[in-house]
């Protein structure tokens, strides 16, 4: 466990294993420990980098608005600070799938492979309408609700929650861990719109394999959207069944296998 300061913000980073580099980035409001079930399966073959975005996990909060280019540069800056220039396999879960694809398009020379894990998919993103979440979060945290109810709210939202209880309390009792995701969510539509625009001008790196690993969980509509994403990116599609949205928790074996297979297709042989 270490902290890397980028743009004045301390980012919490955890590095495990050895071999070619694999970066894991979790969805909105999640922390580094949500990848715990996957890491032991990857670490014998990969250098596994987990990090918390501002206001997530143990990372310091930031008032700077999230942008797609900023999130891509954040990953690049962390890798530079760790002395891991790449190329790397990027694994982006949920909203972080947008960030991972943005990294691949903006930093193609640093991208070996891409895995989108039940990634967010937006064809007509709304760029307004959620700005109220930031002041609402400020009010809620001022009332002390995170300290009183934070861990219980996480457990309710992710029931059953297999994350370490001590880490859940450590993170979700802080106001930072609620303001950060609310700020990121307020920028969700704008970041998705940035990615749509980027797709028109910046292709994915040639030869870098892409896999879309989805968790349809019985939703035909969600599976269609994930399959459409795979076709749009020229990616291989696979469904994790049965699994909920937190695929790394519900089906870590499939996640690890797909990450390793996608990396091998890029020439990242296991150590």
């Amino acid at each position: 466990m270490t902290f890397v300061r980028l743009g004045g913000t301390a980012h919490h980073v955890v590095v495990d294993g050895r071999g070619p580099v694999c970066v894991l980035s979790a969805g909105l409001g999640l922390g580094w420990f949500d990848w715990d079930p996957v890491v032991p399966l990857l670490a014998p073959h990969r250098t596994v980098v987990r990090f918390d975005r501002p206001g997530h996990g143990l990372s310091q909060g930031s008032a700077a608005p999230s942008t797609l280019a900023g999130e891509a540069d954040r990953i690049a800056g962390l890798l530079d600070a760790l002395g891991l220039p790449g190329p790397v396999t990027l694994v982006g879960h949920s909203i972080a799938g947008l960030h991972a694809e943005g990294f691949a398009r903006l930093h193609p020379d640093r991208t070996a492979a891409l895995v989108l894990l039940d990634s967010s998919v937006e064809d007509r993103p709304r760029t307004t309408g959620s700005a109220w979440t930031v002041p609402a979060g400020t009010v809620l945290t001022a009332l002390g609700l995170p300290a009183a109810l934070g861990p219980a709210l996480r457990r309710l939202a992710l029931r059953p929650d297999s994350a370490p209880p001590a880490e859940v309390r450590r993170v979700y009792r802080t106001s930072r861990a609620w303001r950060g995701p609310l700020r990121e969510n307020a920028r969700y539509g704008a970041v998705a719109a940035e990615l749509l625009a980027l797709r028109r001008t910046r292709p994915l790196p040639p030869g870098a394999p892409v896999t879309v690993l989805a968790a349809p969980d019985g939703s035909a509509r969600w599976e269609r959207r994930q399959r459409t994403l795979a076709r749009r990116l020229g990616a291989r599609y696979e469904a994790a069944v049965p699994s909920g949205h937190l695929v790394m928790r519900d089906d870590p074996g499939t996640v690890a296998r797909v990450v390793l297979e996608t990396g091998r297709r890029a020439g990242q042989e296991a150590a």
Side-chain angles (χ1 to χ4, degrees), residues 195-233:
L195 180 58
L196 290 181
L198 194 63
R199 285 174 178 167
R200 294 192 288 268
T201 60
R202 300 292 291 267
L204 288 170
V210 182
T211 299
V212 171
L213 177 57
D217 198 23
S219 171
R221 180 174 179 271
W222 184 242
E223 182 164 25
R224 285 195 300 271
R225 293 180 72 186
Q226 292 288 311
R227 286 186 178 276
T228 298
L229 175 65
R231 287 194 297 271
R232 180 176 295 134
L233 301 182

Side-chain angles (χ1 to χ4, degrees), residues 102-116:
F103 177 91
R105 294 180 184 277
L106 292 170
H107 300 276
D109 57 325
R110 306 187 71 166
T111 305
L114 182 63
V115 176
L116 301 179

Side-chain angles (χ1 to χ4, degrees), residues 16-19 38-48:
D16 298 278
R18 56 180 298 177
V38 176
V39 173
L41 305 177
L42 290 175
H45 315 286
R46 296 288 184 267
T47 297
V48 182

Side-chain angles (χ1 to χ4, degrees), residues 44-197:
H45 315 286
R46 296 288 184 267
T47 297
V48 182
V49 178
R50 293 176 281 170
F51 72 98
D52 295 323
R53 296 188 299 280
H56 291 63
L58 298 179
S59 287
Q60 185 179 6
S62 172
S66 175
T67 67
L68 185 69
E71 296 302 333
D73 290 345
R74 188 187 315 283
I75 297 170
L78 287 169
L79 291 171
D80 287 342
L82 295 170
L84 301 171
V88 304
T89 294
L90 262 293
V91 184
H93 169 253
S94 195
I95 190 175
L98 307 180
H99 308 160
E101 185 184 339
F103 177 91
R105 294 180 184 277
L106 292 170
H107 300 276
D109 57 325
R110 306 187 71 166
T111 305
L114 182 63
V115 176
L116 301 179
L117 185 58
D118 216 38
S119 177
S120 297
V121 182
E122 295 293 340
D123 296 319
R124 292 181 292 275
R126 296 174 58 187
T127 57
T128 60
S130 57
W132 62 269
T133 59
V134 175
T138 300
V139 172
L140 292 174
T141 56
L143 293 173
L145 291 184
L149 299 175
L153 290 174
R154 169 173 164 124
R155 288 193 296 270
L156 182 64
L158 301 179
R159 188 169 47 189
D161 187 5
S162 59
E167 299 294 6
V168 169
R169 289 192 297 271
R170 183 183 182 189
V171 170
Y172 291 92
R173 283 177 57 85
T174 68
S175 60
R176 176 197 69 248
W178 295 93
R179 285 198 303 263
L182 286 170
R183 288 184 181 279
E184 192 171 88
N185 185 62
R187 291 284 302 166
Y188 171 78
V191 168
E194 284 183 74
L195 180 58
L196 290 181

